[in-house]
């Protein structure tokens, strides 16, 4: 286990360095100048020159890069050209909303995926209807699902709120609205947070849910044909017990791999969905940083997501080894 | 008890109509039957075609009786086993006609919960492969507790099936146990709740011969101690002969012959039973020989034609066989054949000895293996280790010779073959094949060794192109020739592996191996996945090819009887070393190494219960010090754990090498 964590730390470090290089090079070859973006088209030559020196953009490329890496080692992601605040501070402000949205989406994706697989194995009309609805949802682009959800659930039925995040209560504020409200004992507030998150999360979760569900379904079908399931049936166990105690645990591994992959892809969907629902998250932050070539901000977001991805896959590996004792970490 | 058994047997000898009348006269006997199947027909629908799995089967099992159900694939034996467990309906929806009465309950009339209760309380099941039949992610204790209840009950069960240190095993996962221990756990699980009947479907087929002998002994002792009835489903007449009280032979979804084990095997009446017995490779034949072959392919379970299913392959078949024969009394058993009485005795078909091998000029093709060692790195992190698959193997094979390499799983026999083929990383030593490049290999699973999207013709042509045959007409001629030599119909050339039957696949694999005549043919258990009658065909085919092409043959097998049939020399391997090597006569008739002796004693043959060797082979990851066999050796001395042994020539006969100092010493002094 210790060795496993060490290996993952080393790989996370490699990912960080590689990502930094890629983002740095992309920024340099894009020919967009952050100085022009910041000062606007009417800025004087002197002002541009002063700003360039201030941002250190006149130094050699390698020096700039090493300077950035040096800051990174000290936990300093630089100052955002746009907000003029430390990127770290910006991330602390925007990241929790995204993580919260992603977590709700993840839980939805896993839950719907599991339901998809289990219902498909059980068969019957309800299962088929559920499958069709899921497939329709997943083959529709996420933003359309979001708009459709807004139109029906908000405008017509008034079940769900339209946009924005609920507000936290209590003194202890982490930025995770649902968690903060729970800590403060405000169940209504937590519920409100969840209700605000449900529609954007659903529009992110549908595609992963179907991917996870399909993998889980075929894995489950394979397991139900296996010799040990036949043994379990021969013991006289009920079908429900056979599925719950013998089939599911032996079928989750491929579904977990798929979950890890999909969670990575989900962050791509987050940017669009946050824009539609005015969700104050990292996607929203990035969408504003890109047009002004705010390298420190973009780089900071990329690094956080990269490390998040490594972390997620480590968690998937741990979950797999928990599910199957034959897998040693 | 004996009286009761005799009564039941008497009852069985009557025809079906009078059985029920007579059954009333025998007090209690129908009620005491543990299982009674009457006129059972089971039909599946698979890919639009109807498969007639059972075509009217009667079967009765008395209390504490071991009934062996013998047959080849497609005979319906497993379907009959599953019907008794009420497990037929799970994957394919079958049509079931007839009666299945188990422990007084009619299976057909039970609801699913009642069926489950019956299985839980009165039935047990043991399946073929203990590697896959236990839930890999659930601890042994929990799997047992599902049927046994308390932990104490689990420990008692494990102890009763001879598992050492049972309390500790409860927290083990199946993958932490050896194959033999896993099968013991399966049997313990089947025994939970003191069932009246255990259905064991090929319980020893996946096990090594020494472990098989242990499990067969356990099965006998389970019956003796608990009075449990057992239905033992097997393809191996040897297994049936050693443990069963009564044998039921099935063919094409019908029972063709049934009777007491000894008498049925001594005097088989049905032509199929006879053929099965004759086509079986046995230990007590002398020298390489041809096995009797059954005509044609296996049974067609799609056929709706009435009549005896065996007729198309039967040498005694006549017009009357179009009417399905019923089981009739014949001597002291019952047989379903119109011509049972006129069948010739087993001796009427003399063994055909293989003609001597074609003389091949010396030195043209010989295999020289010099101190070859192969090891693999396995695992990672803390559990890293080195698996020593071969630990210095030296062999010299004469041109045109045939060497059988025998051993249990983990002995390194397959690795040796792969090292010769250049498919294993040889760490030290060398393999020298004169006429190199002319080595071909045939694998156990012929289906998997044929590329699924290529036709047989493409597979053969590919090999010819690789060997530089440029002319298209020449290639076609040689493809037809190869098909001819292995008995593969030319119509099958455009077929892909998935469209071929098991026997056809193995023929196609052989055709590929010989389309460019190899100097050396390497065979890795080519018959172990085949039915007895098919195995006979393939073994004869290999002998033919060897004779015609003058190839050198290296044949890996776990089956000593097969070694007897194909080889003139035998090498016995244990944990990556050769422990004994010599002529087939020397090794099988006059074995000297304690391991070889135990291997031969463990082979199930009619008339005696196999003598099991204790324990299972050590892991090649941690090989015992000194003589690697000493922990299991019945005649080990204290020094055996310290000094490692070397292969020494036997003082009695040249060319016979034994890796056991005490044995060689003893022979010298004698």
């Amino acid at each position: 286990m210790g060795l496993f964590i060490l290996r993952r730390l080393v790989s996370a470090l490699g990912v960080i360095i590689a990502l930094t290089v890629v983002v740095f090079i992309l920024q340099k070859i894009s020919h967009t100048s952050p100085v022009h973006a910041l000062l606007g088209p009417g800025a004087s030559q002197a002002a541009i020159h002063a700003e360039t020196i201030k941002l250190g953009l006149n130094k050699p490329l390698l020096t700039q890069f090493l300077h950035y890496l040096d800051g990174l080692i000290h936990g300093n992601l630089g100052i955002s050209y746009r907000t003029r605040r430390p990127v770290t501070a910006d991330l602390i402000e925007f990241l929790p909303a995204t993580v919260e949205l992603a977590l709700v989406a993840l839980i939805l994706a896993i839950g719907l995926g599991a339901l998809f697989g289990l219902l498909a194995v059980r068969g019957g009309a309800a299962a088929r209807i559920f499958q069709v609805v899921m497939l329709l949802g997943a083959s529709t682009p996420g933003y359309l699902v979001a708009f459709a959800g807004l139109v029906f659930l908000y405008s017509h039925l008034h079940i769900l709120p339209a946009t924005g995040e609920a507000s936290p209560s209590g003194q202890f504020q982490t930025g995770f609205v649902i968690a903060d409200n729970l800590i403060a004992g405000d169940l209504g507030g937590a519920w409100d947070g969840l209700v605000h998150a449900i529609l954007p999360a659903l529009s992110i979760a549908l595609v992963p849910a179907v991917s996870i569900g399909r993998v889980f379904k075929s894995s489950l079908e394979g397991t139900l044909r296996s010799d040990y399931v036949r043994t379990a049936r021969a013991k006289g166990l009920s079908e429900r017990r056979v599925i719950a105690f013998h089939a599911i645990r032996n079928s989750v591994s491929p579904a977990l791999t798929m979950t890890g992959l999909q969670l990575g892809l989900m962050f791509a969907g987050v940017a669009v969905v946050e824009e539609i629902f005015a969700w104050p998250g990292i996607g929203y932050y990035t969408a504003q940083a890109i047009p002004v070539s705010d390298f420190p901000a973009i780089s900071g977001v990329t690094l956080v997501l990269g490390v998040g991805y490594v972390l997620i896959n480590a968690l998937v590996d741990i979950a797999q080894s928990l599910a199957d004792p034959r897998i040693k970490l | 008890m004996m009286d009761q058994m005799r009564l039941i047997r008497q009852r069985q000898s009557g025809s079906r109509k009078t059985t029920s009348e007579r059954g009333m006269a025998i007090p209690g006997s129908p009620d005491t039957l543990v299982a009674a199947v009457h006129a059972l027909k089971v039909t599946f629908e698979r890919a639009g075609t109807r498969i007639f799995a059972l075509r009217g089967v009667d079967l009765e099992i008395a209390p504490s009786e071991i009934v062996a159900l013998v047959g080849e694939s497609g005979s319906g034996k497993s379907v009959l086993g599953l019907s008794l467990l009420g497990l037929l309906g799970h994957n394919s929806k079958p049509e079931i006609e007839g009666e299945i009465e188990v422990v007084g309950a009619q299976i057909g009339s039970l609801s699913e919960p009642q069926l489950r209760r019956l299985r839980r309380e009165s039935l047990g099941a043991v399946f073929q492969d203990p590697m896959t039949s236990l839930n890999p992610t659930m601890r042994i204790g929990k799997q047992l507790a599902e049927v046994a209840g308390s932990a104490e009950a689990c420990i008692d069960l494990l102890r009763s099936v001879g598992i050492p240190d049972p309390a500790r095993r409860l927290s083990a996962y199946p993958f932490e146990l050896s194959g033999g221990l896993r099968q013991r756990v399966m049997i313990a699980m089947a025994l939970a709740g003191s069932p009246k009947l255990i259905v064991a479907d090929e319980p020893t087929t996946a096990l090594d011969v020494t472990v098989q002998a242990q499990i067969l002994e356990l099965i006998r002792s389970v019956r003796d101690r608990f009075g449990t009835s057992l239905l033992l489903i097997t393809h191996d007449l040897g297994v049936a002969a050693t443990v069963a009280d009564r044998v039921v032979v099935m063919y094409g979804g019908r029972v063709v012959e049934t009777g007491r084990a000894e008498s049925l095997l001594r005097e088989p009446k049905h032509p199929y039973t006879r053929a099965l017995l004759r086509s079986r490779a046995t230990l007590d034949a002398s020298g390489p020989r041809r096995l009797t072959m059954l005509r044609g392919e296996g049974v067609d379970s799609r056929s709706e034609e009435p009549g005896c299913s065996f007729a198309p392959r039967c040498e005694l078949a006549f017009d009357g066989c179009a009417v399905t024969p019923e089981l009739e009394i014949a001597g002291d058993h019952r047989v379903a054949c119109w011509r049972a009485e006129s069948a010739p005795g087993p001796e009427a078909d003399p063994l055909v000895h293989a003609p001597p091998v074609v003389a091949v000029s010396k030195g043209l093709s010989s295999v020289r293996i010099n101190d070859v060692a192969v090891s693999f790195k396995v695992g990672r992190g803390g559990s890293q280790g080195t698996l020593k698959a071969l630990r210095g193997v030296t062999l010299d094979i004469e041109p045109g010779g045939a060497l059988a390499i025998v051993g249990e799983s983990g002995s390194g026999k397959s690795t040796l073959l792969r090292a010769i083929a250049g498919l294993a990383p040889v760490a030290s030593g060398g393999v020298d094949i004169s006429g190199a490049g002319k080595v071909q290999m045939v694998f156990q699973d012929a289906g998997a060794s044929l590329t699924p999207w290529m036709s047989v013709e493409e597979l053969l042509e590919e090999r010819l192109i690789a060997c530089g045959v440029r002319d298209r007409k020449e290639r076609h001629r040689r493809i037809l020739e190869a098909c001819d030599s292995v008995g593969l119909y030319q119509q099958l050339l455009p077929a892909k592996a998935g469209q071929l039957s098991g026997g056809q696949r193995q023929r196609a694999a052989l055709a590929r191996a010989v389309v460019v005549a190899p100097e050396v043919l390497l065979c890795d258990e080519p018959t172990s996945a085949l039915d007895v009658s098919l195995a006979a065909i393939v073994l004869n085919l290999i002998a033919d090819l060897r004779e015609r092409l003058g190839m050198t043959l290296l044949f890996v097998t776990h089956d000593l009887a097969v070694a007897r049939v194909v080889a003139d020399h035998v090498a016995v391997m244990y944990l990556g070393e050769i422990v004994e090597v010599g002529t087939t006569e020397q090794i099988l008739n006059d074995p000297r190494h304690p391991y070889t002796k135990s291997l031969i004693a463990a082979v199930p043959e009619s008339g005696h219960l196999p003598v099991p060797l204790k324990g299972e082979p050590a892991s090649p990851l941690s090989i015992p010090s000194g003589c690697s066999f000493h922990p299991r050796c019945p005649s080990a001395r204290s020094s055996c754990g310290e000094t490692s042994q070397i292969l020494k020539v036997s003082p009695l006969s040249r060319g016979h090498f034994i890796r056991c100092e005490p044995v060689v010493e003893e022979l010298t002094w004698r």
Side-chain angles (χ1 to χ4, degrees):
Chain A
M1 189 68 186
L3 209 74
F4 169 79
I5 291 171
L6 193 75
R7 271 206 312 274
R8 284 308 157 101
L9 278 178
V10 172
S11 90
L13 207 68
V15 167
I16 288 172
I17 293 172
L19 281 178
T20 317
V21 172
V22 169
V23 172
F24 203 80
I25 292 172
L26 278 180
Q27 193 241 343
K28 290 301 161 195
I29 61 174
S30 70
H31 292 297
T32 50
S33 160
V35 180
H36 285 284
L38 275 171
L39 301 179
S44 71
Q45 205 61 28
I48 288 174
H49 185 67
E51 189 68 22
T52 306
I53 290 171
K54 193 171 152 210
L55 295 179
L57 294 175
N58 58 334
K59 300 212 178 86
L61 211 59
L62 196 65
T63 317
Q64 287 182 43
F65 183 66
L66 291 176
H67 183 73
Y68 181 76
L69 274 188
D70 181 56
L72 207 60
I73 290 163
H74 297 99
N76 177 7
L77 290 170
I79 308 289
S80 163
Y81 301 156
R82 185 178 62 87
T83 63
R84 307 266 168 174
R85 299 196 315 152
V87 173
T88 329
D90 283 350
L91 286 179
I92 288 171
E93 189 182 330
F94 287 100
L95 196 57
T98 298
V99 170
E100 189 163 82
L101 182 60
L103 278 180
V104 175
L106 177 69
I107 291 165
L108 271 177
I110 292 175
L112 289 172
L115 202 61
F116 188 95
L118 287 171
L119 280 177
V121 164
R122 208 181 120 238
R128 222 157 295 153
I129 293 168
F130 180 74
Q131 269 186 39
V132 169
V133 170
M134 287 289 286
L135 281 171
L136 274 179
S139 40
T140 314
Y143 58 88
L144 278 185
V145 174
F147 282 130
L150 280 178
V151 169
F152 287 107
L153 299 175
Y154 169 70
S155 305
H156 279 271
L157 301 174
H158 308 285
I159 297 175
L160 293 178
T163 53
E165 200 185 14
S167 43
S169 57
Q171 291 91 38
F172 190 75
Q173 299 206 348
T174 55
F176 294 94
V177 174
I178 300 172
D180 287 345
N181 281 317
L182 281 178
I183 290 166
D186 181 359
L187 287 179
W191 176 246
D192 192 37
L194 192 64
V195 163
H196 271 87
I198 209 100
L199 194 51
L202 189 68
S203 54
I204 302 168
L206 273 179
V207 174
V210 171
S211 302
I212 295 167
R214 288 190 147 182
V215 170
F216 186 50
K217 170 185 169 241
S218 68
S219 172
L220 207 53
E221 283 170 343
T223 306
L224 286 175
R225 279 194 301 268
S226 72
D227 288 350
Y228 54 85
V229 164
R230 184 180 54 178
T231 304
R233 285 174 179 151
K235 283 181 185 173
L237 304 180
S238 70
E239 198 58 18
R240 187 169 296 182
R241 193 179 163 93
V242 168
I243 290 179
F245 287 83
H246 292 269
I248 290 181
R249 188 169 168 188
N250 286 297
S251 310
V252 293
S253 189
L256 281 172
T257 309
M258 186 45 93
T259 307
L261 285 172
Q262 291 293 334
L263 200 62
L265 294 175
M266 266 161 63
F267 282 111
V270 164
V272 178
V273 168
E274 284 186 355
E275 192 71 30
I276 295 172
F277 288 94
W279 191 268
I282 209 165
Y284 185 75
Y285 177 70
T286 318
Q288 293 188 324
I290 289 172
V292 294
S293 272
D294 188 351
F295 168 68
I298 298 169
S299 179
V301 170
T302 311
L303 289 183
V304 166
L305 292 188
V307 170
Y309 198 65
V310 172
L311 192 75
I312 287 157
N313 280 294
L315 289 176
V316 165
D317 284 354
I318 291 171
Q320 277 176 334
S321 84
L322 288 178
D324 188 342
R326 288 168 298 181
I327 299 175
K328 293 259 176 349
L329 292 178
Chain B
M1 187 74 241
M2 265 330 283
D3 283 349
Q4 202 180 53
M5 301 271 285
R6 203 167 299 133
L7 287 178
I8 287 155
R9 248 174 232 123
Q10 213 176 335
R11 191 174 105 79
Q12 284 159 356
S13 1
S15 76
R16 186 69 217 177
K17 254 191 185 153
T18 54
T19 306
S20 49
E21 292 156 21
R22 217 186 286 170
M24 302 296 267
I26 300 165
S29 79
D31 309 322
T32 53
L33 281 180
V34 167
V37 171
H38 177 49
L40 180 63
K41 290 183 182 165
V42 175
T43 313
F44 295 104
E45 181 129 348
R46 203 174 291 154
T49 36
R50 276 154 66 81
I51 308 277
F52 298 91
L54 293 180
R55 299 169 190 255
V57 169
D58 289 356
L59 177 78
E60 279 156 358
I61 303 171
S64 59
E65 188 184 23
I66 301 182
V67 176
L69 202 54
V70 179
E72 299 182 289
S73 45
S75 64
K77 58 188 193 303
S78 291
V79 173
L80 183 51
L82 289 176
S83 341
L84 287 177
L85 293 167
L87 275 176
L88 268 188
H90 267 287
N91 292 326
S92 40
K93 300 209 160 40
E95 293 167 37
I96 305 173
E97 263 177 73
E99 287 167 27
I100 314 165
E101 194 185 312
V102 179
V103 205
Q106 291 287 337
I107 293 269
S109 63
L110 294 184
S111 67
E112 193 54 41
Q114 286 172 316
L115 255 181
R116 285 202 291 269
R117 190 170 163 181
L118 178 73
R119 287 201 286 264
R120 206 164 47 238
E121 291 175 357
S122 310
L123 299 176
V126 179
F127 296 115
Q128 175 170 353
D129 192 348
M131 302 295 168
T132 58
S133 293
L134 289 169
N135 184 346
T137 62
M138 195 188 271
R139 292 178 201 279
I140 300 296
K142 201 170 167 205
Q143 297 194 46
L144 267 169
E146 281 187 325
V147 275
S150 67
E152 290 78 58
C154 294
I155 293 172
D156 284 346
L157 279 170
L158 288 180
R159 191 176 292 124
S160 75
V161 295
I163 289 182
D165 200 0
R168 200 169 55 84
R169 302 288 184 191
L170 289 184
S171 60
Y173 284 103
F175 72 95
E176 294 166 322
L177 303 181
S178 67
L181 283 183
R182 283 187 228 193
Q183 199 59 303
R184 284 177 193 268
V185 171
M186 274 299 288
I187 293 173
M189 218 144 75
L191 276 174
S194 316
K196 299 277 186 305
L197 172 69
I198 293 178
V199 175
D201 194 346
E202 303 269 12
T204 61
T205 307
L207 303 174
D208 277 322
V209 64
T210 57
V211 183
Q212 162 168 292
Q214 296 168 6
I215 296 295
L216 290 178
E217 195 184 60
L218 174 62
I219 286 176
R220 270 295 268 267
S221 86
V222 160
R223 189 273 302 272
D224 294 346
R225 280 181 295 160
F226 304 104
T228 316
S229 301
L230 272 133
L231 181 68
L232 178 72
I233 301 171
T234 176
H235 70 284
D236 188 341
L237 281 166
V239 167
T242 52
V243 289
D245 303 314
R246 197 152 56 84
V247 173
V248 176
V249 182
M250 287 187 73
Y251 188 86
R254 291 197 186 92
V255 173
V256 295
E257 188 164 8
T258 166
R260 288 188 58 84
E262 315 90 72
S263 82
L264 188 140
L265 295 168
R266 197 179 54 241
E267 279 179 82
K269 292 278 188 334
H270 197 281
Y272 174 65
T273 318
R274 291 164 187 279
L276 208 55
L277 275 168
R278 276 180 289 157
S279 57
R280 197 173 159 261
T282 48
L283 267 183
D284 48 290
S286 58
R289 62 181 182 103
R290 291 182 63 85
L291 296 163
T292 312
M293 289 191 280
L294 274 170
R295 282 193 301 194
E297 287 280 335
V299 64
D300 182 7
S301 37
R302 289 165 305 182
S303 163
E304 286 185 67
E305 299 284 309
C308 173
S309 310
F310 186 63
R313 304 175 79 183
C314 181
E315 48 204 10
L316 297 174
F318 71 121
D319 295 345
C321 296
V323 179
T324 313
E326 295 286 322
L327 276 177
E328 302 284 351
I329 308 164
D332 53 358
H333 48 270
R334 296 197 299 156
V335 57
C337 177
W338 297 117
R339 310 195 67 173
E341 296 306 326
S342 55
E347 66 288 341
D349 187 79
L351 300 174
V352 190
H353 286 271
V357 172
V358 192
V360 183
S361 54
K362 260 231 177 297
L364 188 72
S365 83
S366 76
V367 182
R368 215 166 250 269
I369 303 158
N370 192 15
D371 202 22
V372 165
V374 172
S375 54
F376 303 100
K377 285 254 180 296
V378 292
R380 54 180 197 187
S383 58
Q384 204 167 47
T386 308
L387 189 153
K388 290 184 181 152
L390 289 182
R391 301 184 291 143
V393 172
T394 302
L395 271 176
D396 235 338
I397 299 129
E398 297 257 295
L403 174 78
I405 304 163
V406 300
E408 296 178 279
S409 47
S411 64
K413 55 189 193 302
S414 291
T415 309
L416 177 59
L417 213 61
R418 278 159 198 276
I420 296 168
L423 296 172
V426 174
S428 68
V431 178
D432 186 21
I433 304 167
S434 36
K438 297 265 187 113
V439 177
Q440 277 296 298
M441 202 157 170
V442 178
F443 296 94
Q444 173 177 354
D445 190 346
S449 70
L450 300 174
T451 312
W453 56 83
M454 285 172 85
S455 70
V456 175
E457 183 161 19
E458 285 164 344
L459 285 167
L460 297 183
E461 191 156 21
E462 185 186 49
R463 172 96 186 105
L464 284 167
I465 292 171
C467 290
V469 182
R470 303 211 180 275
D471 183 35
R472 256 186 91 175
K473 275 194 186 140
E474 166 74 4
R475 287 205 298 262
H476 191 63
R477 191 185 63 75
R478 288 179 67 172
I479 288 170
L480 294 183
E481 204 180 86
C483 282
D484 210 33
S485 68
V486 300
L488 189 72
Y489 298 124
Q490 291 176 8
Q491 294 93 299
L492 292 174
L493 278 174
K496 301 188 169 76
Q499 298 161 315
L500 301 177
S501 71
Q504 288 166 345
R505 278 182 219 164
Q506 203 53 285
R507 280 168 203 250
L510 268 170
R512 177 172 60 178
V514 300
V515 67
V516 175
E519 303 281 351
V520 181
L521 185 65
L522 307 175
C523 294
D524 192 356
E525 304 252 19
T527 57
S528 63
L530 301 178
D531 276 327
V532 182
S533 63
L534 259 180
I537 294 170
V538 171
L539 290 177
N540 285 343
L541 190 53
I542 290 173
D544 282 351
L545 290 170
R546 204 189 129 214
E547 179 192 323
R548 201 133 34 89
L549 305 172
M551 310 177 292
T552 306
L553 176 70
L554 271 85
F555 196 102
V556 161
T557 178
H558 68 282
D559 189 338
L560 289 164
V562 168
R564 158 80 85 198
V565 172
V566 294
D568 45 43
H569 282 78
V570 175
V572 182
M573 292 190 66
Y574 189 77
L575 287 175
E577 283 179 334
I578 291 176
V579 294
E580 188 167 5
V581 59
T583 64
T584 311
E585 289 291 298
Q586 286 165 345
I587 301 297
L588 298 183
N589 295 359
D590 190 22
R592 292 294 171 181
H593 194 283
Y595 177 62
T596 316
K597 284 184 175 174
S598 333
L599 264 189
I600 290 171
V603 174
E605 290 278 335
S606 184
H608 73 92
L609 205 63
V611 185
L613 180 63
K614 64 184 174 183
E616 291 179 46
S619 158
L621 282 167
S622 57
I623 290 166
S625 65
C627 168
S628 49
F629 183 61
H630 85 268
R632 298 175 79 193
C633 184
S635 48
R637 306 172 181 178
S638 57
S639 62
C640 289
E642 290 144 27
T643 41
S644 53
Q645 305 287 321
I646 49 170
L647 263 185
K648 283 196 172 161
V649 67
S650 159
L652 298 186
S653 44
R654 277 180 58 231
H656 187 177
F657 295 86
I658 304 150
R659 192 187 289 275
C660 182
E661 187 62 42
V663 165
V664 174
E665 228 168 75
E666 193 195 306
L667 291 175
T668 315
W669 287 107
R670 209 160 55 179

